[in-house]
Amino acid sequence: MNLNNVRVAPKLWATILGLLVVMMLSNLWVRSNTEQALEQARTDVQQIERKIALAQHMRGAAMTGLELGIAQFATNENRLQIELEKRFEQRRVAATEALQAMEAALHDEADRAQFARVLQARDAVQTRRAETEQNLDLDDYNARANFAFGDYAAMGVKYSQAFDEFVQYQIDQLDVVTQRAEARRQRSVMVGWGVAGLLLLVAVVMARWLVVNITRPLQQAV
């Protein structure tokens, strides 16, 4: 079918409707892509916040247990040592449960590698305590106190620093997620503007084509 044989009004309506449909589809795509980016960012942020919360919970249990351990080594009171040992065991169980929850929340290799430093510090503290209980003369108060406020406390500081580094890594990941979502949103907007510009160009071409089809018969008639 020759388009030149089609009446001008149907041509005009077809052009307008075609442009409107394309524009509507373009807007829908931009909106859908932006919503997907925001939803993905929201999910990522929730996961990171959960890992931060779990790390802080585990740190609290671990540091409380460490302080109880220091107090246990630094006292001569037998009844107090028994009570501190019981509370230390409770904190150790709580820290282990928090550790299991954290390991279940880690789905990324980079997260696992970062958290491995926390585990290394934890193992170092536990190993040092076990070796000391076997080799140290527990009847020597000065030796126990020196260990508690010296090596044991210093290893506890390193343990806490490992948690700080893990939490800071997660905070940095929040910035990465935010920047990634913003970059995707901007790309969608740019594509939307590009499509709008293309539609404008097509509209100009179609308008020129319609004008030619309108004026040419008139010129021929004259």
Side-chain angles (χ1 to χ4, degrees), residues 50-93:
R50 172 170 169 75
K51 286 181 283 189
I52 291 175
L54 289 172
Q56 297 289 24
H57 176 62
M58 182 179 173
R59 187 229 292 269
M63 292 301 103
T64 301
L66 187 71
E67 291 173 357
L68 291 171
I70 292 174
Q72 184 184 11
F73 277 108
T75 183
N76 278 328
E77 179 62 38
N78 185 53
R79 293 179 59 185
L80 181 58
Q81 284 184 344
I82 294 174
E83 180 63 25
L84 290 173
E85 176 65 25
K86 182 173 66 174
R87 295 186 181 184
F88 175 82
E89 183 63 21
Q90 292 174 347
R91 291 293 89 194
R92 188 188 68 79
V93 172

Side-chain angles (χ1 to χ4, degrees), residues 1 13 20-21 44 46 69 78 83 106 118 126 152 177 213:
M1 182 179 67
W13 281 110
L20 288 176
V21 168
D44 292 341
Q46 290 174 349
N78 185 53
E83 180 63 25
L106 298 177
V118 177
Q126 292 180 342
Y152 198 43
V177 168
N213 277 270

Side-chain angles (χ1 to χ4, degrees), residues 80-211:
L80 181 58
Q81 284 184 344
I82 294 174
E83 180 63 25
L84 290 173
E85 176 65 25
K86 182 173 66 174
R87 295 186 181 184
F88 175 82
E89 183 63 21
Q90 292 174 347
R91 291 293 89 194
R92 188 188 68 79
V93 172
T96 301
E97 292 175 349
L99 169 61
Q100 293 172 348
M102 172 62 76
E103 290 178 335
L106 298 177
H107 304 293
D108 185 82
E109 288 300 327
D111 284 339
R112 293 190 183 95
Q114 191 70 29
F115 191 68
R117 300 179 183 178
V118 177
L119 297 180
Q120 290 173 358
R122 174 176 178 267
D123 292 342
V125 171
Q126 292 180 342
T127 301
R128 188 72 177 90
R129 178 185 171 90
E131 291 175 349
T132 300
E133 289 177 341
Q134 291 180 355
N135 302 324
L136 188 67
D137 182 5
L138 297 181
D139 293 329
D140 186 346
Y141 171 76
N142 289 330
R144 288 190 288 108
N146 289 335
F147 167 72
F149 296 113
D151 291 347
Y152 198 43
M155 297 183 74
V157 172
K158 293 181 179 179
Y159 192 12
S160 179
Q161 290 174 345
F163 278 109
D164 289 337
E165 292 173 0
F166 178 79
V167 170
Q168 184 59 51
Y169 173 77
Q170 297 301 323
I171 293 175
D172 293 340
Q173 289 301 107
L174 283 175
D175 294 336
V176 172
V177 168
T178 303
Q179 293 172 3
R180 186 187 303 142
E182 179 62 20
R184 185 173 176 181
R185 186 192 68 81
Q186 290 181 355
R187 284 196 300 269
S188 298
V189 172
M190 293 300 295
V191 170
W193 280 110
V195 172
L198 180 61
L199 290 176
L200 179 61
L201 179 61
V202 172
V204 171
V205 173
M206 294 301 295
R208 173 63 179 170
W209 178 70
L210 287 173
V211 169

